Amino acid sequence: TLTRTKSTLNRRDRYSSFGNTSTTAKHSTTAKPLPSPPLATPPSSYSGDPTISHTALAHLLWKSTLRPGVDAAIDATCGNGHDSLYLAELLLKNATGYSELYCIDIQDCACDTTRTKLEELLLDPAVFEERVSILRQSHSSLPNRPRAPVGLVCYNLGYLPNAEKSYTTQVGSTLQSIGHATKLLRRNGLISIMTYPMTNPNEDYAVCALLECMALFSSNQIDWRQYLEELGPDPVVSENGSHDSVRNAVKEIAETIPSGTTWRVMEHKMMGRPLAPKLLTATRIK
């Protein structure tokens, strides 16, 4: 009994001294202070940060959706060509296959600027000729049957920066275009829309209401028809008729898309800045 007691005490002593740096010299260690991390240098621009920039976030979503060499993309409001350039680099520059890019704008200067930007990308002339289409027309009418499956239709609404502001996207043509996009998009394809509540609140209201109804097509909680019937006039703008345009567009989409088509719709906007641009996305999951 005495032997077992001494053995137990010795074992407890060993455990109680484990990690105690003051008991013996051979167990003592001196903790070295961690080096101070370098001060973070704030970026000169947040334009490439998808957590801050709507454009960067949109590009990130496009990249995760599109299949280079397989899909077609439609830039329905190509403007100064920045988005078209990004899509060309993504789909065409280093890819073989059948990807196509359609760039649409109603203004000659926008089409010319977009063409210049794409030519600077130094695409193979045959690729440019066969797989890039720059169309001077309203965005209300999209290409009917691209050869490749359409993975993306994107919009940057409003007016062309540094150009005549009388040329701006209109509610009727925008809703008509989105309706056309719902019929072209492949499964898991994306509709991406940048709206501007400050400069065109009427269009922002109409587009948000349309996409809300698309999200409700498959809802078990709210019937889209009830939502549509209760849709009132735009509370921000004194113009009348936007809610009627939305009703007509939603009904036309509901009557023409395949039964069971399901959308997941997201609204990305800055908190505390109600008039800042919004990024709206609708993904066809079924």
Side-chain angles (χ1 to χ4, degrees):
T1 304
L2 183 59
T3 303
R4 282 201 304 271
T5 302
K6 285 183 178 181
S7 176
T8 302
L9 289 174
N10 289 339
R11 188 165 60 251
R12 288 176 180 172
D13 288 343
R14 288 199 301 273
Y15 288 143
S16 64
S17 65
F18 180 75
N20 186 348
T21 57
S22 61
T23 53
T24 59
K26 69 177 182 178
H27 290 299
S28 65
T29 59
T30 303
K32 296 181 180 180
L34 295 174
S36 300
L39 295 176
T41 303
S44 57
S45 171
Y46 291 104
S47 61
D49 188 341
T51 67
I52 297 175
S53 164
H54 282 124
T55 299
L57 176 59
H59 288 181
L60 185 64
L61 295 174
W62 301 353
K63 185 177 181 179
S64 69
T65 300
L66 288 169
R67 302 170 296 179
V70 177
D71 284 333
I74 301 174
D75 184 353
T77 54
C78 62
N80 283 324
H82 300 301
D83 290 337
S84 293
L85 179 63
Y86 177 82
L87 292 171
E89 289 180 313
L90 181 64
L91 291 177
L92 304 175
K93 188 171 183 181
N94 298 313
T96 58
Y98 303 97
S99 282
E100 297 173 282
L101 175 60
Y102 294 85
C103 312
I104 299 172
D105 206 285
I106 200 169
Q107 297 186 70
D108 286 327
C109 60
C111 293
D112 293 342
T113 301
T114 298
R115 180 177 296 276
T116 299
K117 276 190 169 61
L118 295 181
E119 287 174 348
E120 292 172 353
L121 190 58
L122 299 178
L123 293 174
D124 181 278
V127 171
F128 194 97
E129 180 69 24
E130 296 174 8
R131 294 160 61 188
V132 176
S133 299
I134 300 176
L135 308 174
R136 186 199 174 282
Q137 63 183 53
S138 169
H139 66 309
S140 61
S141 178
L142 300 178
N144 278 323
R145 292 183 179 177
R147 289 169 293 179
V150 178
L152 171 72
V153 181
C154 63
Y155 302 83
N156 193 346
L157 300 177
Y159 55 82
L160 181 65
N162 303 317
E164 178 57 53
K165 293 184 180 180
S166 61
Y167 285 95
T168 186
T169 52
Q170 302 295 319
V171 170
S173 56
T174 295
L175 297 184
Q176 182 180 346
S177 183
I178 296 171
H180 195 178
T182 63
K183 303 174 186 62
L184 291 175
L185 210 65
R186 65 163 170 81
R187 184 176 178 180
N188 295 324
L190 180 72
I191 298 173
S192 171
I193 310 170
M194 192 83 76
T195 72
Y196 295 86
M198 177 177 284
T199 56
N200 200 341
N202 197 39
E203 187 175 45
D204 170 69
Y205 163 83
V207 171
C208 288
L210 174 64
L211 264 64
E212 183 82 33
C213 285
M214 289 170 54
L216 293 175
F217 282 164
S218 58
S219 173
N220 295 322
Q221 301 178 7
I222 304 174
D223 187 88
W224 66 269
R225 300 170 189 83
Q226 177 185 351
Y227 174 87
L228 202 57
E229 287 303 317
E230 296 174 354
L231 185 66
D234 183 346
V236 179
V237 182
S238 58
E239 289 183 41
N240 294 318
S242 293
H243 51 304
D244 292 331
S245 298
V246 173
R247 287 192 181 101
N248 294 335
V250 171
K251 290 176 180 177
E252 198 272 338
I253 292 173
E255 291 171 359
T256 54
I257 61 174
S259 177
T261 302
T262 303
W263 301 89
R264 289 294 178 266
V265 177
M266 304 292 176
E267 180 182 31
H268 308 274
K269 62 181 181 179
M270 293 186 184
M271 303 297 290
R273 297 187 180 184
L275 298 181
K278 297 178 186 176
L279 174 63
L280 306 170
T281 60
T283 303
R284 180 190 169 190
I285 64 171
K286 290 183 182 178

